[in-house]
Amino acid sequence: MKESRVVFVILHYLAGKDTVECIESIKRNIEYNNKYIVVVDNASNNGSCEMIQEKYEGDTEIVVIKNEENLGFAKGNNVGFMYAKNILKARFIVLLNNDTIIRQKSFCDLLISKYKERKYYVLGPDIITRDGYHQNPLKHRNWTLGKLKLFKIKAQIRLLDRKLLAIGPRLLKKKQKVTAAKTAPSGDCTSVRLHGSCLIFSPDYIKKFDGLNPGTFLYMEEDLLQIEMDAYNYSMWYSGDLEIFHKEDVSTKMLDATQKDRDIRFLKNLINSIDVCIKSIKK
């Protein structure tokens, strides 16, 4: 029986060493014949894309696509998604951060068997950080128009605070990271929000969609995906049987020199992403 084609899409930006480690983890660890890797470079300017192209020249299972400009997370991934869908005729597409490692030999077999069992549209694995935290599953958010508008106002206040060099008391303290947990469910569960560092799309999703909502540049892609899947009543599942390791935000940490610059960039992109979510809910 012919194996279903699984295509891994890795969005690359600047961090060449990490992207190579991610590629090698797929090539060396996963025991599955009908798999391909599509690396999408988001206009890196440090020679890392050329290094990857040279390293894997002649490897028939790896395709490297270089974008002329940085398209951000959603649009950048969608370039690879569309190549996997239309050119490689993928049955399953795995959007994978370049700062992740897969060690499971049966990763592809498991995501296929989970589809047969759960008929998921989107599946997320157990994602373990270097500190031993589990980033999946994220808590399902019941976003309403009012909640999103309030969230936007808070983000705008934080942005103003950072632009004013944070003189005096902070207008709004940065929320501590509380999404990761020391333990994760061992089985499967649905009605969840999935972490964006690894999203597995089934034949049902691939048939109906051309990737992620292209409106965002960075941030809230998980929320927007959950909003849209809820609206269509399409199932999203988490499975603790699949597992990856996540180093966390390697590429984004290379962008800005100071914490202030990182905060301002984060908040500007966050506000734009909130606007996209508001538009999606209004539909």
Side-chain angles (χ1 to χ4, degrees):
M1 183 177 179
K2 188 177 180 181
E3 292 177 317
S4 297
R5 178 159 296 175
V6 180
V7 178
F8 294 84
V9 175
I10 302 171
L11 187 63
H12 167 75
Y13 184 64
L14 299 176
K17 178 182 177 182
D18 293 285
T19 300
V20 168
E21 287 182 3
C22 182
I23 293 170
E24 289 299 315
S25 77
I26 296 169
K27 285 177 60 65
R28 295 179 180 181
N29 297 334
I30 298 177
E31 294 181 349
Y32 193 81
N33 292 321
N34 197 1
K35 66 180 185 295
Y36 286 81
I37 301 170
V38 177
V39 179
V40 180
D41 173 67
N42 240 350
S44 300
N45 58 4
N46 63 347
S48 57
C49 178
E50 289 74 18
M51 178 273 290
I52 294 168
Q53 287 175 320
E54 183 177 347
K55 180 176 179 63
Y56 295 106
E57 185 178 5
D59 191 322
T60 57
E61 293 184 347
I62 297 178
V63 176
V64 181
I65 302 171
K66 186 173 179 62
N67 292 335
E68 293 184 1
E69 61 179 309
N70 188 341
L71 300 177
F73 182 83
K75 287 183 180 178
N77 269 306
N78 287 353
V79 171
F81 189 102
M82 292 300 291
Y83 189 94
K85 176 178 179 175
N86 296 328
I87 306 301
L88 295 178
K89 307 299 182 184
R91 185 161 172 79
F92 295 87
I93 297 175
V94 183
L95 297 189
L96 194 64
N97 274 23
N98 71 322
D99 58 350
T100 58
I101 299 291
I102 299 178
R103 299 190 176 106
Q104 272 186 313
K105 294 181 180 180
S106 59
F107 190 87
C108 290
D109 291 311
L110 283 169
L111 69 87
I112 293 168
S113 66
K114 289 297 174 183
Y115 173 67
K116 293 176 181 177
E117 182 181 356
R118 303 298 185 188
K119 294 299 176 184
Y120 64 82
Y121 270 67
V122 191
L123 179 69
D126 187 5
I127 302 170
I128 305 169
T129 69
R130 63 176 75 246
D131 296 325
Y133 284 88
H134 299 259
Q135 293 179 305
N136 258 346
L138 299 172
K139 185 178 179 181
H140 187 279
R141 286 178 173 169
N142 295 312
W143 282 118
T144 64
L145 201 56
K147 288 179 180 179
L148 282 168
K149 287 181 177 179
L150 180 59
F151 189 33
K152 180 180 178 180
I153 291 171
K154 290 181 178 180
Q156 289 172 325
I157 292 173
R158 282 173 57 188
L159 178 59
L160 178 62
D161 185 33
R162 294 309 285 144
K163 285 184 174 180
L164 292 175
L165 303 177
I167 297 173
R170 294 298 297 269
L171 297 177
L172 191 70
K173 289 183 180 179
K174 189 172 182 180
K175 209 172 184 181
Q176 290 186 345
K177 192 172 183 179
V178 294
T179 54
K182 269 294 185 182
T183 59
S186 57
D188 299 350
C189 57
T190 189
S191 297
V192 294
R193 186 166 48 98
L194 298 173
H195 197 281
S197 59
C198 182
L199 295 168
I200 301 165
F201 298 98
S202 74
D204 297 326
Y205 186 100
I206 295 168
K207 182 179 179 180
K208 290 182 171 66
F209 299 96
D210 291 331
L212 301 171
N213 186 307
T216 61
F217 188 83
L218 281 173
Y219 308 118
M220 289 194 77
E221 291 87 3
E222 298 102 332
D223 294 88
L224 190 54
L225 182 61
Q226 179 212 299
I227 288 169
E228 293 176 338
M229 293 298 98
D230 285 351
Y232 289 110
N233 199 28
Y234 295 154
S235 62
M236 295 178 66
W237 282 82
Y238 158 83
S239 177
D241 294 334
L242 289 97
E243 180 181 297
I244 70 166
F245 172 73
H246 187 203
K247 302 174 196 174
E248 292 189 279
D249 302 326
V250 170
S251 295
T252 54
K253 288 177 181 176
M254 297 175 70
L255 287 171
D256 303 303
T258 68
Q259 184 62 49
K260 179 190 171 185
D261 292 336
R262 284 193 287 272
D263 287 347
I264 290 174
R265 178 180 55 80
F266 161 72
L267 289 164
K268 284 182 176 178
N269 283 308
L270 178 62
I271 290 166
N272 174 71
S273 295
I274 295 170
D275 284 334
V276 177
C277 290
I278 289 172
K279 290 178 183 177
S280 183
I281 282 185
K282 282 182 176 179
K283 287 182 180 179

